[in-house]
């Protein structure tokens, strides 16, 4: 009789632990939260464990169904809401679009153009920092999700061109940094997610007396996020120390040879035009006069609508008698690990943050315990670190909405400027990418098993969060004191 291997035994043990967490936590006595909250917490912990040690697809399926038996909602409605999420729909379409860009050859053209810049000759870390800051800026101007997918697609072509392979350290940590930059791009936007909710919540709780100006938030957040990516680059260079021999030997002659190979045909021109149109449609609502007819028109084109329109137009366009875009062919690029992970994370996070779970009340009590006497700088540092850690496991909007009233009350009793304190808190909540549950874009690092891998995704994410906290305290805090006051 064949004995099971150690690998098989570990896999079976992981599966047993996954089911015990998912379905067993709910039988434990509630600890500060409701019985339904205990069931939801079990699903969340099981999902996180399954993603880390088993995989993404079937643990996500089991957890979606299990969530339907916690008392939170009907299983059918949960699965329906999971796949009707705009983030999930957009990811499916954008993965098909990026596959089309790759098949058309435009990714290869952009990769050769980027790689052939003379400034990168003999300067691989300038190249690394440029890629990360470029992703941040594109994500800020448009959106962090398409920016991460776009840059990653270009990098795949570049890795192929310089013979870097899956499993190599440098591509893994560079791609992880790209996903971090996508996350941080949201932290720079006053109109995005947790920032918008936090600014609105502070205005409401203060009766309009505490207002965070959009320009002020950008002026503080952008330098901090850029500094975070630069510090992450130094971490990769001096701590992770990947092999960069293929980048270090990029001589001017080699770069010139790459540049001379750049050729653009009609299919690539169409793909480049589609890419530019998508970026413009995403960018225009942010710069057109508010309330104008043009702004109202382009405002209807959210990410999903814009991508569907572009793919529809590409489908009927023909070059040399053939359709430009074949959805069936490009659907091969849809990574179902990513899709299932996103589909499961959103309803589980929403359930964990619901009033019926009772977690919000527990978080309020914990955050309130931070309010006390002592050195204000130590208190601020501890508060920000706690916010960042909690955001790794709980939706950042939930954390922000709980923290803002506490910050306002603390400001009234101690004299701390609630606006400056809130800006720091928003930065801490926006720099979450150390776990698969931390953020939609950051989770892509964990789902990219081929290039990044779970171990390196955790390593990059944890060190990246440490870099963010350091930059917030060393740069963000002085900027807040100069611009807003504290």
């Amino acid at each position: 009789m064949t004995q099971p291997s150690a690998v098989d035994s570990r896999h079976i043990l992981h599966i047993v632990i996954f089911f015990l967490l998912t379905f067993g936590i709910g039988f434990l006595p509630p600890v500060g939260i409701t019985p339904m909250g205990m069931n939801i917490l079990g699903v969340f912990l099981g999902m996180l464990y399954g993603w880390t040690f088993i995989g993404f697809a079937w643990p996500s399926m089991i957890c979606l169904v299990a969530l339907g038996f916690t008392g939170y909602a009907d299983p059918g409605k949960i699965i329906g809401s999971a796949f009707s999420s705009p983030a999930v729909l957009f990811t499916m379409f954008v993965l098909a679009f990026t596959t089309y860009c790759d098949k058309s050859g435009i990714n290869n053209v952009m990769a050769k153009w980027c790689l052939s810049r003379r400034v990168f000759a003999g300067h691989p870390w300038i190249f690394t920092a440029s890629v990360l800051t470029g992703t941040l800026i594109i994500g800020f101007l448009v959106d962090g999700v398409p920016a991460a997918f776009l840059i990653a697609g270009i990098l795949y072509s570049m890795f192929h061109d310089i013979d870097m392979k899956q499993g190599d350290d440098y591509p893994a940590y560079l791609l992880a940094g790209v996903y971090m930059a996508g996350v941080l791009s949201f932290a720079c936007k006053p109109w995005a997610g947790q920032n918008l909710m936090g600014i609105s919540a502070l205005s409401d709780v203060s009766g309009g007396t505490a207002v965070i100006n959009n320009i002020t938030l950008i002026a503080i957040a952008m330098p901090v996020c850029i500094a975070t990516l630069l510090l992450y680059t130094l971490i990769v260079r001096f701590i992770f120390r990947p092999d960069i021999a293929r980048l270090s030997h990029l001589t001017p002659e080699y770069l010139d040879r790459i540049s001379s190979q750049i050729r653009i045909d009609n299919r690539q021109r169409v793909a480049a035009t589609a890419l530019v149109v998508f970026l413009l449609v995403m960018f225009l609502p942010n710069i057109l006069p508010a309330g104008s007819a043009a702004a109202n028109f382009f405002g209807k084109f959210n990410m999903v609508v814009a991508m569907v329109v572009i793919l529809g137009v590409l489908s009927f366009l023909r070059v040399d008698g053939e359709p430009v875009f074949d959805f069936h062919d490009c659907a091969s690029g849809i990574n179902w690990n990513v899709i299932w992970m996103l589909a499961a994370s959103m309803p589980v996070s929403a359930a964990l943050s619901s009033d019926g779970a009772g977690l919000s009340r527990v978080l309020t009590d914990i955050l309130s315990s931070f309010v006390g006497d002592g050195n204000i700088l130590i208190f601020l540092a501890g508060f920000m670190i706690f916010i960042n850690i909690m955001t790794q496991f709980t939706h950042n909007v939930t954390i922000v909405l709980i923290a803002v009233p506490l910050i306002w009350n603390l400001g009234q009793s101690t004299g701390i400027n609630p606006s400056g304190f809130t800006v720091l808190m928003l930065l801490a909540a926006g720099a979450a990418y150390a776990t698969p549950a931390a953020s939609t874009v950051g989770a892509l690092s964990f789902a990219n098993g081929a290039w990044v891998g779970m171990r390196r995704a955790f390593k990059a994410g944890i060190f990246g969060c440490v870099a963010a906290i350091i930059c917030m305290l060393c740069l963000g805090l002085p900027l807040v004191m100069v611009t807003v006051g504290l």
Side-chain angles (χ1 to χ4, degrees), residues 180-264:
M180 287 181 203
V183 176
L184 291 173
S185 70
F186 290 102
C188 299
K189 299 181 183 183
W191 53 86
Q194 77 279 356
N195 288 346
L196 180 62
M197 297 298 293
I199 293 171
S200 299
L202 181 63
S203 178
D204 290 342
V205 76
S206 67
T209 59
V211 178
I212 299 174
N213 182 276
N214 288 350
I215 300 298
T216 299
L217 179 64
I218 295 171
I220 296 170
M222 185 63 77
V224 171
C225 291
I226 291 175
T228 298
L229 296 174
L230 295 179
L231 182 55
Y232 173 76
T233 302
L234 294 177
I235 289 172
V236 175
R237 179 178 182 179
F238 294 108
I239 297 180
F240 299 162
R241 301 171 64 86
D243 180 7
I244 56 168
R246 295 180 182 86
L247 284 174
S248 298
H249 297 142
L250 297 181
T251 63
E253 292 76 20
Y254 177 74
L255 297 180
D256 289 341
R257 187 165 71 252
I258 292 177
S259 182
S260 66
Q261 296 171 357
I262 298 176
R263 299 286 187 277
I264 301 180

